[in-house]
Amino acid sequence: MIEINNISKNYQSISVLKNVNATITQGGITTIIGPNGAGKSTLLSIISRLLLADEGEVKIQNMNVVDTPSDKLATYLSVLRQENRFTSRLTVFDLVGFGRYPYSKGRLNANDYQHIHRALEFLNLTEYKDRFLDELSGGQRQRAYVAMVLCQDTEYVLLDEPLNNLDMKHAVSMMKQLRRAADELGKTIVIVIHDINFASVYSDYILAMKEGKLIYQGEPKQIMDAAILEEIFDTPVKIENVHDQNIAIYY
């Protein structure tokens, strides 16, 4: 499991995380929701050691992420940043293959190739494997980045806004594939997400943040409450039950 203990982070005089405590249990999908500026991406970056906390610690499988050697941590945890840019011209196959670097150190073997082809198939990217990234749509490129993360084949997968640039059809497809990764591949997936209805339908647990604090946490049926969501997002919300799913109506 992932243990988040008393995490605080400041940017100069601005406090962006304030004494955040949470436990993310093994398996399933945990989503982190909240308005812009709530600290969601900062928390995910600290969990993945892309940022260092000013106070507190994060442990994964009882390993402090700050003290764990990078090559070892990379076999337990993979992460998709919100902004991803590769300066060199890469094919989709090359990009996804980067996910194997913690194991291959750049020398791919037969097992690595199996993982690459599996990740391409999982995200419906096989037909695009020889295309260069700059020849893809924004949505196709986003799926390629997620395939790279899944190709790393870690137990813990952290994704910051994986639905960026995806239209309705591909956003639904992405969430279904991540649900499959959790259910069929046994992954523990943590997602920063803006769409609270995707969080409601596809996640097992929700962390709700506001102004750098974790203000609610629980199963979707607990968080998908009009009063709670109005407090989080400062906007009127109505909850409707659609096909046994709690859906937020707001406009």
Side-chain angles (χ1 to χ4, degrees):
M1 63 181 176
I2 300 175
E3 300 172 75
I4 303 165
N5 300 316
N6 303 310
I7 291 295
S8 294
K9 179 68 177 178
N10 300 314
Y11 291 131
Q12 297 179 348
S13 61
I14 300 173
S15 178
V16 293
L17 289 177
K18 305 169 185 175
N19 195 36
V20 176
N21 291 276
T23 298
I24 298 173
T25 57
Q26 199 166 349
I29 296 178
T30 294
T31 50
I32 306 175
I33 66 169
N36 292 339
K40 305 182 299 296
S41 293
T42 300
L43 179 61
L44 199 76
S45 293
I46 289 173
I47 295 171
S48 59
R49 205 175 67 181
L50 295 175
L51 280 176
L52 296 179
D54 294 329
E55 297 179 20
E57 65 177 9
V58 174
K59 289 185 176 181
I60 295 178
Q61 300 285 70
N62 290 320
M63 299 181 300
N64 188 314
V65 298
V66 173
D67 300 332
T68 303
S70 296
D71 56 350
K72 182 177 181 180
L73 187 64
T75 63
Y76 283 87
L77 181 149
S78 53
V79 59
L80 176 71
R81 304 183 189 200
Q82 192 173 135
E83 297 293 334
N84 296 282
R85 288 187 176 88
F86 276 77
T87 55
S88 59
R89 199 161 189 242
L90 297 173
T91 65
V92 171
F93 188 92
D94 292 334
L95 175 71
V96 176
F98 272 120
R100 299 305 301 163
Y101 189 82
Y103 311 94
S104 70
K105 299 298 187 281
R107 297 186 177 185
L108 299 173
N109 59 29
N111 183 55
D112 296 317
Y113 282 111
Q114 283 187 348
H115 277 88
I116 294 169
H117 287 293
R118 191 178 303 143
L120 289 167
E121 183 179 354
F122 200 81
L123 271 299
N124 299 314
L125 288 167
T126 301
E127 64 179 298
Y128 304 110
K129 67 183 177 66
D130 296 320
R131 287 199 195 176
F132 290 101
L133 294 180
D134 58 7
E135 296 174 341
L136 302 178
S137 70
Q140 290 166 341
R141 197 176 303 120
Q142 183 72 356
R143 284 157 54 203
Y145 281 116
V146 173
M148 175 186 68
V149 173
L150 291 180
C151 191
Q152 195 170 327
D153 195 27
T154 57
E155 183 172 342
Y156 298 91
V157 179
L158 278 55
L159 305 170
D160 195 352
E161 291 293 340
L163 306 185
N164 275 355
N165 300 311
L166 299 186
D167 59 22
M168 186 185 301
K169 173 184 175 180
H170 288 101
V172 170
S173 176
M174 176 66 76
M175 292 306 300
K176 286 182 177 179
Q177 299 293 49
L178 294 176
R179 187 69 256 177
R180 278 184 59 208
D183 295 340
E184 298 177 17
L185 305 179
K187 305 298 185 186
T188 302
I189 300 177
V190 185
I191 308 174
V192 169
I193 194 169
H194 277 292
D195 192 314
I196 55 175
N197 289 326
F198 276 129
S200 174
V201 173
Y202 290 100
S203 60
D204 301 289
Y205 202 76
I206 295 175
L207 305 178
M209 299 186 66
K210 185 176 183 179
E211 297 177 349
K213 297 179 180 180
L214 180 61
I215 62 171
Y216 290 102
Q217 55 183 309
E219 296 177 3
K221 62 183 179 182
Q222 298 171 297
I223 305 300
M224 294 300 289
D225 173 87
I228 288 176
L229 294 180
E230 288 176 8
E231 180 182 349
I232 295 168
F233 293 101
D234 293 322
T235 194
V237 176
K238 182 179 179 182
I239 302 297
E240 296 283 356
N241 188 275
V242 181
H243 302 304
D244 291 326
Q245 302 285 355
N246 289 327
I247 302 298
I249 309 299
Y250 55 95
Y251 51 87

